């Protein structure tokens, strides 16, 4: 993407989001820009309007200014509108749908660079979509079953030659749920997956784990020495181990670029496991994943790289 002149930057995130706060500070310090902040939960308490005439379109919110000057949007984990409840569930559902539809339309119609396009962002959060796309992009994938059928799950576990892990299938915000190896006790609880489809995968014996922040073709890769601590199954469980800057092999970078292009993402945080067999196994991509701790641990200028992309359309490539 060619560089562009800076304009207004809009950050759509819930109030108090630490990544949004850090980015706002970065934009002020690097470029003297004070970004527009919008928490969708403020609507409909705050009023909004969209007007269209021969002169063009105009967007407004009662508590912020400058929506029509926005040239870049960071769609950073927004919440739905907070609509007051009434007496009838049907009326509540109607008002919620109308408010969400209005505000989403107001924002999504802004002709700006999006991080990420909301439609692509939503589709890419579906684990089945990203896993199949990663496979077609050339990544190695642990053999996987995602199901709510207890019998099929038991059959899959019984058929494997080694350990099997299980984890939640969604990427939405919910109580933290760690990845675990299936135990004998777990087999007796498989009936509970009928109402919560679950992901089962071959456990990959690892050399280490990698977390990669990808910004429009620029990679910021971090090697996590997960096997030396408590996070040997799930690297998120132990951040006391060594975090070091890493460079991906060219073949992995190529698969990564193909994957992100196919998903329509300009930004994402990926988890990759380097197996003892030398393969780089794709585990997942979170289109709005957490990365601040990677910068704290390694000094990589990830916020600065993303800030430069929001302002000029080109991510910083070194730091």
């Amino acid at each position: 993407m060619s560089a562009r002149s800076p304009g207004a930057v809009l950050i759509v995130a819930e109030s108090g989001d630490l990544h949004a706060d850090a980015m706002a500070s970065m934009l002020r310090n690097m470029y003297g820009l004070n970004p527009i902040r919008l928490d969708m939960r403020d609507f409909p308490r705050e009023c909004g309007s969209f007007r269209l005439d021969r002169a063009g379109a105009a967007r407004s919110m009662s508590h912020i200014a400058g929506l029509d000057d926005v040239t870049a949007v960071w769609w950073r984990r927004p919440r739905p509108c907070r609509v007051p409840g009434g007496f009838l569930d049907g009326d509540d559902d109607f008002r919620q749908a109308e408010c969400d539809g209005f505000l989403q339309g107001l924002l999504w119609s802004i002709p700006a660079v999006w991080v990420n396009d909301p439609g692509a962002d939503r589709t890419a959060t579906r684990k089945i979509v990203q896993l199949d796309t990663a496979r077609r992009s050339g990544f190695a994938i642990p053999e996987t079953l995602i199901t709510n059928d207890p019998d099929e799950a038991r059959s899959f576990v019984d058929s494997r030659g080694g350990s099997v892990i299980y984890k939640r299938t969604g990427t939405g915000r919910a109580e933290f749920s760690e990845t675990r190896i299936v135990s004998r006790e777990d087999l007796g609880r498989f009936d509970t997956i009928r109402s919560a489809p679950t992901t089962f995968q071959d456990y990959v014996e690892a050399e280490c784990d990698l977390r990669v922040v990808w910004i429009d073709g620029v990679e910021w890769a971090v090697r996590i020495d997960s096997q030396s601590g408590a996070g040997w199954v799930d690297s998120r469980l132990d951040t006391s181990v060594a975090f070091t800057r890493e460079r991906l092999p060219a073949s992995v970078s190529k698969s990564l670029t193909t994957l992100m292009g196919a998903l329509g993402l300009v930004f994402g945080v990926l988890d990759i496991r380097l197996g003892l067999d030398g393969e780089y196994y794709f585990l997942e991509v979170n289109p709005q994943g957490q990365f601040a701790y990677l910068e704290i641990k390694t000094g990589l200028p990830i916020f600065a790289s993303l800030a430069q992309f929001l302002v000029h359309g080109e991510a910083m490539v070194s730091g």
Side-chain angles (χ1 to χ4, degrees):
M1 180 180 294
S2 60
R4 65 173 188 274
S5 299
V9 175
L10 170 65
I11 300 176
V12 186
E14 61 182 319
S15 300
D17 181 275
L18 295 180
H19 283 70
D21 292 344
M23 179 56 68
S25 178
M26 183 68 65
L27 290 169
R28 285 191 292 269
N29 293 336
M30 286 183 66
Y31 301 103
L33 294 177
N34 195 29
I36 301 169
R37 298 285 299 270
L38 175 62
D39 186 337
M40 291 181 60
R41 296 175 300 177
D42 291 339
F43 187 80
R45 178 174 54 83
E46 300 286 354
C47 294
S49 298
F50 175 78
R51 183 165 185 149
L52 188 65
D53 57 26
R54 292 184 179 181
R59 303 160 187 83
S60 64
M61 296 290 293
S62 58
H63 63 311
I64 58 177
L67 283 180
D68 288 325
D69 299 323
V70 168
T71 57
V73 182
W74 189 16
W75 187 249
R76 167 69 193 172
R77 297 187 167 193
R79 296 279 190 178
C81 298
R82 182 179 288 156
V83 182
F87 294 105
L88 298 176
D89 291 342
D91 290 346
D92 290 347
D93 293 343
F94 170 78
R95 286 192 293 268
Q96 186 70 54
E98 290 293 287
C99 287
D100 288 339
F102 166 79
L103 192 51
Q104 290 167 0
L106 183 76
L107 299 175
W108 296 353
S109 66
I110 296 174
V113 171
W114 285 78
V115 181
N116 290 295
D117 174 83
D121 197 281
R122 182 175 182 178
T123 299
T125 61
R126 304 305 186 233
K127 291 288 185 62
I128 292 172
V129 172
Q130 56 181 251
L131 283 168
D132 192 46
T133 305
R135 177 190 61 82
R136 289 186 279 108
S137 298
F139 271 108
I141 309 290
E143 191 153 336
T144 302
L145 172 69
I146 302 176
T147 186
N148 75 329
D149 185 332
D151 292 335
E152 188 163 0
R154 292 187 187 98
S155 178
F156 178 81
V157 173
D158 290 343
S159 71
R160 312 314 301 160
S163 297
V164 174
I165 61 92
Y166 67 98
K167 58 186 178 181
R168 59 192 292 257
T169 297
T171 54
R173 284 172 291 192
E175 184 177 347
F176 177 79
S177 176
E178 68 183 86
T179 298
R180 297 182 179 182
I181 291 179
V182 176
S183 67
R184 287 186 176 275
E185 292 75 18
D186 293 325
L187 289 171
R189 295 192 290 266
F190 272 18
D191 285 343
T192 61
I193 72 171
R194 286 195 181 277
S195 56
T198 300
T199 298
F200 300 90
Q201 285 183 324
D202 284 344
Y203 172 68
V204 176
E205 298 284 351
E207 177 181 325
C208 67
D209 283 278
L210 301 167
R211 194 157 172 94
V212 183
V213 182
W214 195 90
I215 309 169
D216 196 40
V218 175
E219 303 166 356
W220 301 103
V222 175
R223 178 188 177 103
I224 303 172
D225 189 19
S226 55
Q227 303 309 291
S228 67
W232 56 277
V233 175
D234 186 336
S235 65
R236 299 170 299 173
L237 297 179
D238 190 352
T239 58
S240 68
V241 299
F243 282 61
T244 55
R245 302 182 184 198
E246 184 66 284
R247 186 178 296 275
L248 299 176
S251 59
V252 178
S253 294
K254 181 179 179 181
S255 293
L256 179 50
T257 298
T258 302
L259 167 66
M260 299 300 277
L263 292 175
L265 300 176
V266 298
F267 175 86
V269 182
L270 299 98
D271 290 314
I272 297 171
R273 172 159 280 211
L274 176 55
L276 292 178
D277 58 3
E279 282 279 14
Y280 286 76
Y281 290 90
F282 172 89
L283 300 181
E284 68 176 66
V285 54
N286 189 326
Q288 293 296 344
Q290 309 287 53
F291 60 88
Y293 71 106
L294 301 177
E295 180 161 327
I296 293 169
K297 290 279 190 179
T298 65
L300 287 171
I302 303 171
F303 276 101
S305 183
L306 180 56
Q308 182 170 301
F309 180 77
L310 289 169
V311 174
H312 291 300
E314 292 182 339
M316 182 185 293
V317 298
S318 63

